[in-house]
Amino acid sequence: MDNPLPPAEELVLIDRELIQLDARRHFLLSRRAWLLAAQTPHAWGAPARPKASAQATEASAPSAQNVLLVLGAVLLAVAALAFTLVSWGSLGIAGRSAVLAVVTAAALGAPVALLRRGLRSTAEAVAAVGLLLTVLDAYALYAVGMPEVDGTAYAAGATAVLAAGWAAYGRTPAVRALRAPLPAALLTAQLPLPLAALAGGATGPELGWALLATAALDAGLALLRPGRWSSWAGAAGSVAGGAALLTGLADSVAAESAGGALGPSALLAAVAALAVVVAWRSARMPVAFSVTGALAAVAALGGLAAPELRPPWGAVGYLVVALPLLGALRVSALPEPVRRGLALAGAGVAVLEAATALAWVATVLMGRLQVLEEVWSVTTPAPAAGNGPGLAPLVALLLTAGAAWWLVRVLPVRREPGVAAVVLGWAALFTAPVVFDPAPGAVFAAQLAVTLAAGALALRSTAVAVAGGGSPAGAGSASDAGFGPAGIAAGVCALAGAGNVSVAALDGRLATFGVLGLLGAACAAGAAYRPAPAWARSGAAALAVGYATLLVVALGALLERPVAWWAPPLLVVPAAVAALGPRLGPVRIPAEAAAAAAGFLAVALATGDAPVLALVLALAGVVCAAAAVRPERRSAAGWPAGALFLAATWVRLAASEVTVPEAYTLPVTAAALAVGFLRRRRDPLAGSWTAYGPGLAATLLPSTLAVWGDPHWLRPLLLGTAALGVTLAGARGRLRAPLLLGGATLAAVALHELTPYVVQVVDALPRWMPPALAGVLLLVVGATYEKRLRDARRLREAIGRLR
């Protein structure tokens, strides 16, 4: 069982072989099954030919019959129309009457005989022609006998007579089986009342009443005489009622006074009553009808007050009318679909108004970003006054937040009302100081209080949700239900409020330090609140570290020091987090991540001054080295510490314009290699990167960079020789770090030495030669792609076996 491979790598190889064996076995079993199936006909005789399937027909007999009948009916209708329009004048009155009477009677009577013989489709086609002929009869009567009568009025009467006649014809026992007459009569019956209103010079409200009357007749027919045509009546009534509703809404919005809105409001109220009655009595879409009726009622009542209010307050008026509809959830006398529809209508209006108000809140909050154009200038533009357009959205937010909180009590199982109540309430309270425009200090105090309250609610509610298992029973009361999502919403609101008030505080020095300090302390207290879940405490800890970082930056700006010198004091924050590491508990990782971000910020601030940057890198390395003292952070902080020390050395040498960095790096390398050698003697399992990597990199990397700027031959020769020795030592000792670092350095030196000759060769070659060589290289690599992958995999495995 002696194997040079480590157990983990040998397990990987065994798993790959087993996967390949399973795939091969599956292929062989599939091939065996196919061969058995192919041999079966030979064993039992020649396979029988499958029977030739009958040629598929492109059209069935009934569909072809229907097409022929429809075409025949269309041709007869065209012929009748041509006769009426062209040949009508060549006949006398008696001839005209006789022709129309005979043809119409024949077309309406023929379906009786056809139905007796079982030719139903033919009877339907002939009956459709007969109905069309009655329309032509009506037109002919108007064109010849009553040309002086108003066309719209005649059309209203003619459609009424035609609808009645077609309905009587369709209910005749001999032709009751026909499907076309009754729907045609029903659809034609939608026209008489609107046409009569138009003939009488009706305006918007009068036309709306005519449409509503038509819809009421349709609703009565659908509710009182349920049958196979009730769905047609319901659809036609819905269209007519919708048209009446749109007419009333248009007139209500266009009204300029409460008196002018009285007529449209009455129409809307009638529409609401009809829709609610249909929802109460009908089993089809009761929720949709109740929603429509509730919205019409809201438009009717709100439309009376809207003309007397300014535009922002008109929407609030509609909201005040809509919110009581939510109370339908408590009215047990109403059917459940009606209650749900009324509540949905009220909630829909509330959602629309809340979205509009939240859009206004977003514009107010975004306006504070103007402070970033000139920090500490005390030139923030004054917000809107209390009597301006901002008070109406504020009232809307408060009303909708109260309604959402009421729904939390009524619907304890639903989570959405709790989230809406938190978000809307926070938005109203946070923007209220901006609307009423008190002193800047009062604005900051009020908004800080709202932000801290939202954060406290987030911690408490999430803690309650965790303690109760996220259910109302576990939470202890109905009001605690949904606290999990509501707590998350409160946390998001607290985060948004903290960010906004922090930006606003940049307008003044005192406000900056006061707000940042208070918010940082609050976040630290939240991180220490143990009943809260780990994710909430982690976020609070990261924010506390972030606010501490901002305070240090603000202090550097206050002292009017150069930006690069803000960086060294900034490292106090990650140093403090590293010192408090074991005491932070579950919030340690997010706090350390935020501290690492503060360290990156310090390095970024110091990039403009090389000596300061070297100092910052060295101090950051000290912080990481101090954190790496603890065993659990040794691997996470040890490597960054070494890298920071090396970077500090290089930057310091570059800042001092040192041309021979080896004089400073070789002693460090010698000491580091000695320490690494002693480390490997005491701990044979220690890797070569840990023992020798930092020491070798301390000299090889800066020397490699210096080679590319050195025109002489001595440094490349010495560095190449040293790199060759390091590479050979790594290969002999099977050590990964010396092998890779030495090989990379040797390759860089060789490339540096060959670069002038490569440039000369490229200049000497024709312009087409480099692309051609590149293409040939790509073809060769592509042709041997799989072999190259195997070689690369073997090389990776060989390097992986090194220490």
Side-chain angles (χ1 to χ4, degrees), residues 585-679:
V587 302
R588 180 177 182 178
I589 294 179
E592 290 178 347
F600 282 115
L601 178 60
V603 173
L605 292 175
T607 52
D609 193 330
V612 179
L613 178 59
L615 175 62
V616 170
L617 291 172
L619 293 176
V622 171
V623 174
C624 290
V629 172
R630 299 188 179 93
E632 69 275 7
R633 289 291 180 265
R634 185 162 298 165
S635 59
W639 281 102
L644 289 170
F645 284 135
L646 288 176
T649 303
W650 302 338
V651 173
R652 180 68 260 183
L653 294 176
S656 301
E657 298 181 355
V658 174
T659 58
V660 186
E662 292 81 5
Y664 300 90
T665 58
L666 282 176
V668 177
T669 296
L673 291 179
V675 173
F677 178 75
L678 294 177
R679 168 74 184 279

Side-chain angles (χ1 to χ4, degrees), residues 350-513:
V351 168
L352 181 61
E353 181 60 24
T356 305
L358 288 176
W360 171 81
V361 171
T363 59
V364 172
L365 298 182
M366 294 297 292
R368 282 187 162 179
L369 296 179
Q370 298 177 5
V371 176
L372 298 177
E373 298 177 358
E374 192 173 359
V375 179
W376 290 354
S377 61
V378 197
T379 57
T380 305
N387 294 328
L391 189 58
L394 181 62
V395 173
L397 288 172
L398 291 174
L399 290 175
T400 51
W405 181 248
W406 182 80
L407 286 177
V408 171
R409 304 284 178 171
V410 177
L411 303 173
V413 181
R414 305 294 299 181
R415 306 299 179 92
E416 298 85 354
V419 175
V422 170
V423 173
L424 296 173
W426 169 84
L429 296 177
F430 191 81
T431 53
V434 178
V435 173
F436 292 106
D437 191 19
V443 173
F444 282 126
Q447 291 186 335
L448 281 174
V450 173
T451 301
L452 295 179
L457 177 62
L459 294 175
R460 176 189 174 277
S461 58
T462 51
V464 170
V466 171
S471 63
S477 65
S479 62
D480 289 335
F483 259 170
I488 296 174
V492 173
C493 291
L495 186 62
N500 189 261
V501 74
S502 299
V503 172
L506 296 177
D507 195 44
R509 291 175 174 83
L510 182 60
T512 298
F513 286 97

Side-chain angles (χ1 to χ4, degrees), residues 226-438:
R228 58 178 180 174
W229 308 118
S230 61
S231 58
W232 287 88
S238 300
V239 173
L245 175 62
L246 294 177
T247 302
L249 286 176
D251 293 337
S252 177
V253 172
E256 298 180 355
S257 63
L262 188 60
S265 294
L267 175 61
L268 291 172
V271 172
L274 177 61
V276 172
V277 169
V278 172
W280 199 311
R281 297 292 303 275
S282 176
R284 295 181 178 179
M285 298 188 299
V287 176
F289 282 111
S290 59
V291 168
T292 303
L295 292 177
V298 170
L301 296 177
L304 292 175
E308 305 298 332
L309 300 174
R310 288 181 293 179
W313 290 100
V316 177
Y318 285 106
L319 178 64
V320 171
V321 175
L323 288 180
L325 292 174
L326 298 175
L329 295 174
R330 290 289 186 91
V331 182
S332 58
L334 294 175
E336 193 275 335
V338 176
R339 283 184 291 162
R340 186 149 46 98
L342 296 177
L344 285 176
V349 176
V351 168
L352 181 61
E353 181 60 24
T356 305
L358 288 176
W360 171 81
V361 171
T363 59
V364 172
L365 298 182
M366 294 297 292
R368 282 187 162 179
L369 296 179
Q370 298 177 5
V371 176
L372 298 177
E373 298 177 358
E374 192 173 359
V375 179
W376 290 354
S377 61
V378 197
T379 57
T380 305
N387 294 328
L391 189 58
L394 181 62
V395 173
L397 288 172
L398 291 174
L399 290 175
T400 51
W405 181 248
W406 182 80
L407 286 177
V408 171
R409 304 284 178 171
V410 177
L411 303 173
V413 181
R414 305 294 299 181
R415 306 299 179 92
E416 298 85 354
V419 175
V422 170
V423 173
L424 296 173
W426 169 84
L429 296 177
F430 191 81
T431 53
V434 178
V435 173
F436 292 106
D437 191 19

Side-chain angles (χ1 to χ4, degrees), residues 1 12 68 76 89 97 155 267 284 290 304 434 437 489 586 594 701 710 730:
M1 299 300 293
V12 172
L68 294 176
L76 288 175
S97 302
L267 175 61
R284 295 181 178 179
S290 59
L304 292 175
V434 178
D437 191 19
L701 294 181
D710 192 348

Side-chain angles (χ1 to χ4, degrees), residues 784-797:
T784 59
Y785 180 71
E786 294 184 359
K787 186 175 184 300
R788 297 292 175 264
L789 285 180
R790 288 196 299 269
D791 295 341
R793 191 179 299 111
R794 291 172 183 170
L795 177 61
R796 184 187 64 185
E797 293 172 355

Side-chain angles (χ1 to χ4, degrees), residues 100-125:
L100 283 176
V102 170
V103 174
T104 303
L108 295 177
V112 177
L114 293 173
L115 288 174
R116 290 176 181 175
R117 295 178 176 271
L119 301 177
R120 180 172 178 176
S121 298
T122 306
E124 293 280 1

